[in-house]
Amino acid sequence: MSKLKAFLGGVPVGDEYPVRIMAVLNLSPESFYKESVAVVNAVDRAQALEKHADFIDVGAMSTAPYLNAWIPPEKELERLKAVLPEIVKNVKVPVSVDTYRPQVAEYALRAGAAIINDVTGGKLYPEMCKIVADYGASVVLMARERQPRQGVDPVIRVIDALAESITHFEKCGVDGDKIVVDPGIGFPVLPPRDEPYVIRGEYRHGDPQWPWWKWDLHLIKNLPKLRELGKPILVGVSRKSFLRKIAGVEKPEEVLPASLAAEALAVYHGAHVVRTHNPQETRQAVKIAESLRSVHLA
């Protein structure tokens, strides 16, 4: 089996490299985990995060699908412009920007960001691929379906969704060695348009066989199957709602232990990058899982 490898902002990720940590820094007060929000002290927070992270992922709009947190692109840009250039200037690790809007991505890359983290897989705005290609940037593509497919295994649905995104970006001129995939833990079917869109309920993926939280567990357990896509795998499970559902708690502040357990299991099952709100604690959990994984593969 061939080794998986890619470059995120110039940093190699994949089978032959340590599991990388992507730390979350939010500029959006609406974000579901308030401790991740840093507006007036964004640069200081970025410098603190980079001590334990390989990348910093800056987001100016919450994309939690169960929150009414949508803002127009002008507001997203305003938030980024206020701090992104200073963040880039004052940290040594590559900066990623969490956005699905081409105009926001273009500003971010012009300001010095090296990675675009697109939670729509480039499907809400297909022209996103041209921005990434023009700047020679790296991209994280999340699995998002336009329509649910009842009766189809979630892993197949995720692989098909990601394959569509990968093909689109590579045909558009994006370097295939700069693409990393994300199975989209916690994210339902793609919204029809860029407008306020909230989805809740038990069957967020449109299939009564798969409650949303079982869907997420199934994907983590079957991460090795995503290897057929030929791209390293990024997983973001930090403090997400399926953990709160399983742990029987309500607040994201209460699920650090569950987050660390899920992150460790994701790494054991093959994740190459972990996106997290708590990089210091996650780094320790990842090292244990990584060591166990290497023994298992020996």
Side-chain angles (χ1 to χ4, degrees):
M1 184 180 294
S2 60
K3 299 291 187 180
L4 302 185
K5 179 181 179 180
F7 292 90
L8 279 181
V11 176
V13 301
D15 291 336
E16 297 183 329
Y17 303 95
V19 174
R20 308 299 189 183
I21 305 296
M22 178 177 279
V24 178
L25 193 162
N26 284 317
L27 307 177
S28 46
E30 308 86 8
S31 291
F32 79 93
Y33 179 50
K34 303 308 179 187
E35 292 298 316
S36 69
V37 179
V39 179
V40 296
N41 61 334
V43 174
D44 291 342
R45 178 69 66 84
Q47 290 177 320
L49 290 171
E50 76 169 326
K51 295 176 183 176
H52 310 285
D54 302 286
F55 319 98
I56 295 173
D57 192 40
V58 180
M61 181 179 80
S62 173
T63 52
Y66 54 86
L67 290 181
N68 184 14
W70 186 92
I71 59 173
E74 294 79 14
K75 184 66 175 177
E76 186 182 1
L77 269 172
E78 178 186 325
R79 290 174 174 178
L80 274 178
K81 287 180 178 180
V83 296
L84 184 62
E86 288 300 307
I87 290 174
V88 170
K89 186 168 69 174
N90 285 282
V91 300
K92 297 180 176 64
V93 299
V95 174
S96 167
V97 169
D98 180 358
T99 187
Y100 58 78
R101 290 162 166 163
Q103 67 269 49
V104 178
E106 183 168 20
Y107 166 75
L109 295 174
R110 194 168 63 244
I115 306 159
I116 296 299
N117 182 8
D118 186 338
V119 300
T120 74
K123 292 176 181 175
L124 206 54
Y125 289 102
E127 62 270 30
M128 175 66 91
C129 67
K130 187 175 187 307
I131 304 299
V132 174
D134 286 350
Y135 281 85
S138 301
V139 65
V140 178
L141 298 175
M142 182 180 284
R144 300 298 289 276
E145 298 174 296
R146 292 185 175 89
Q147 297 292 332
R149 296 158 64 196
Q150 286 194 19
V152 178
D153 187 281
V155 178
I156 295 174
R157 288 174 60 176
V158 162
I159 288 172
D160 289 349
L162 286 170
E164 182 183 359
S165 292
I166 291 167
T167 298
H168 175 65
F169 272 71
E170 290 185 341
K171 283 184 175 179
C172 190
V174 175
D175 185 345
D177 288 335
K178 295 182 177 180
I179 296 174
V180 169
V181 297
D182 178 345
I185 302 296
F187 282 82
V189 173
L190 191 70
R193 290 170 297 279
D194 186 1
E195 61 186 23
Y197 182 82
V198 177
I199 184 164
R200 301 188 181 100
E202 190 75 352
Y203 304 106
R204 302 176 190 178
H205 298 275
D207 190 334
Q209 297 181 61
W210 287 100
W212 56 277
W213 53 278
K214 285 189 177 180
W215 172 289
D216 291 340
L217 292 173
H218 185 66
L219 289 182
I220 293 171
K221 185 177 180 179
N222 288 280
L223 282 178
K225 295 181 180 179
L226 272 61
R227 293 182 62 89
E228 71 177 66
L229 294 162
K231 307 296 183 186
I233 301 163
L234 178 149
V235 171
V237 294
S238 178
R239 301 183 184 269
K240 287 191 173 178
S241 55
F242 82 103
L243 300 173
R244 308 199 294 272
K245 167 80 172 180
I246 296 166
V249 298
E250 295 183 0
K251 299 177 181 178
E253 291 79 9
E254 298 177 284
V255 287
L256 177 59
S259 281
L260 298 177
E263 288 167 347
L265 287 167
V267 168
Y268 184 77
H269 286 295
H272 301 98
V273 185
V274 174
R275 181 182 182 272
T276 184
H277 299 93
N278 27 262
Q280 183 174 4
E281 295 88 346
T282 293
R283 178 77 78 182
Q284 289 189 14
V286 161
K287 282 185 178 296
I288 300 302
E290 194 173 21
S291 298
L292 285 169
R293 185 172 76 182
S294 66
V295 171
H296 172 69
L297 295 174

